[in-house]
Amino acid sequence: MDIRTISDDFFTIGNIAVLLRKTGNDVYDFDFRNNFECRSVVSEVEAPVLLHIGAVEDYAGVEATLEDMGMKLLVHEGEHLRCSTIEEWYPSLKDKTPFTKIYDELPQVEELLIDFSFPVFIKGNRQTNRHKKSQCIIENIDQYNALRKEWERDSILSWQKVAVREYVPLQVIDADSYPDMVPISYEFRFFYFEGKCMAYGPYWYMGHQYSLPESELQKVLKLTDWAAQRLAVSFPAIDVAKTTSGEWIIIEVNDAQESGFVGANPLVLWNNTIEAMQERTWIPVEDFFEEGTVIMAGDSLPEVSLEEMWDVANNLKGTQELVDAFAGAFNKFWWVEDDVYDFEEGTEEYENACAITDAWAELMDSLEERLIQIAKAEGLMSEDEEHPHSIVALSPIMEKYGYRDGRGWWVKADNR
């Protein structure tokens, strides 16, 4: 890849480099040279590179090209992926966003109705087609069947996985000015860098004007601060909206490098962000952890109770089911065990967290003992293994049945 084919300009601003391309989008393009002291890049630079080139079609390719030139991106590909597709960010934020399921393609209506009822909200895993209402808000079977035909022919949607979402009515600002689009709702975009809010503004910059009053701001910041910490990415754009019931929810997350500033003040956004970028404090997980490490972003068994897992454990049919159950119980135990440290020792909350942890430990231990016996019987563990409960000792049988060590979590072997 030749960097010149995807950019118009390359310059540094202090300790940050910016690779820029004008897109012609008035709510994205920004004149950095007219607002900052910029120095053109004529050879490799040590400063991390911020992309401002619009939607990036081949992020891995851009990163590889810069690395070949001796440079590094400010936002690793791993971070980019964690905030640019629902499939990646939803597990971390599902407690504060509508229920969502990802499909490789639009399912038959019978399959859809297993988890949803009409109306539903449908979009691509990465983006919508310009918020077109007929492709997003689907109210009945006839509309859904029409969408299935249309989706295959759509140049923006056809290449994406499908995200089907619970339809949650939002407070509407303007439903009439753009009748072919989803209604303009009370929605805002917040830009974050390393966990701190840089700027925010109305998501919808067309139609009726609206703003976020101070009386609502702290409530919304509590939600967006939480989301930014959960995402653990350097530079996300977080979209939130108010429902008709008065609740603030997360609508969408994107890589801020690709996101329009919409109703935010671009000068405030870039002044704050460029200043914050001069003194980075976060270490991206890609730099901190060994390759193959899995960051567990959410509960591994969010909808399965302890009683249901015991029922599964008591009715296992074969080693594969045992391995699957053990992996789930193991991950669940270590997930809930972390809750103990959230409370002061001796408090009721602390005692409850300990009781939950102990209960999952009992299940995990029961399954583990059965697994150890099978591993020894199959010659996958020595009879005199000194540490049979260790991940190292259990790895051979777990790998045989499709799991690997994600540095402390049992994950499917194809999860890289």
Side-chain angles (χ1 to χ4, degrees), residues 70 87 90 103 124 172 208 388 403 407:
E87 187 174 27
Y90 175 73
Y103 300 88
V172 172
H208 297 171
Y403 288 83
R407 303 295 188 272

Side-chain angles (χ1 to χ4, degrees), residues 134-240:
S134 64
Q135 293 179 335
C136 294
I137 301 174
I138 309 302
E139 298 181 352
N140 53 53
I141 291 177
D142 289 342
Q143 289 183 8
Y144 183 71
N145 287 333
L147 175 64
R148 293 187 73 229
K149 296 177 181 178
E150 188 176 351
W151 192 282
E152 296 175 356
R153 301 188 300 267
D154 192 285
S155 61
I156 293 177
L157 300 174
S158 59
W159 57 270
Q160 301 184 66
K161 290 184 179 181
V162 182
V164 181
R165 315 197 73 189
E166 172 193 6
Y167 178 74
V168 178
L170 304 177
Q171 289 190 11
V172 172
I173 299 294
D174 182 358
D176 301 320
S177 297
Y178 302 91
D180 293 333
M181 290 173 48
V182 297
I184 293 176
S185 60
Y186 196 51
E187 183 174 354
F188 297 85
R189 171 164 288 177
F190 283 71
F191 290 88
Y192 273 74
F193 185 73
E194 294 191 340
K196 296 180 181 179
C197 182
M198 299 290 104
Y200 68 91
Y203 178 82
W204 299 100
Y205 54 92
M206 71 282 275
H208 297 171
Q209 293 186 345
Y210 62 101
S211 61
L212 184 63
E214 285 294 326
S215 59
E216 295 266 41
L217 178 59
Q218 292 308 311
K219 184 185 299 184
V220 180
L221 281 173
K222 184 176 181 180
L223 173 62
T224 53
D225 285 352
W226 172 86
Q229 293 295 328
R230 294 282 294 173
L231 287 166
V233 298
S234 298
F235 193 29
I238 303 168
D239 300 338
V240 298

Side-chain angles (χ1 to χ4, degrees), residues 244-276:
T244 54
S245 65
E247 179 185 7
W248 284 97
I249 61 173
I250 294 164
I251 299 297
E252 182 84 340
V253 174
N254 290 285
D255 184 339
Q257 296 178 114
E258 300 177 316
S259 302
F261 51 79
V262 291
N265 184 320
L267 194 57
V268 171
L269 166 64
W270 287 114
N271 272 332
N272 290 341
T273 303
I274 293 297
E275 181 179 356

Side-chain angles (χ1 to χ4, degrees), residues 362-382:
E362 182 182 359
L363 172 63
M364 177 184 69
D365 292 344
S366 172
L367 293 167
E368 192 171 54
E369 290 300 331
R370 293 159 66 179
L371 191 60
I372 289 170
Q373 295 308 311
I374 293 175
K376 290 180 177 179
E378 293 188 9
L380 297 171
M381 183 184 293
S382 171

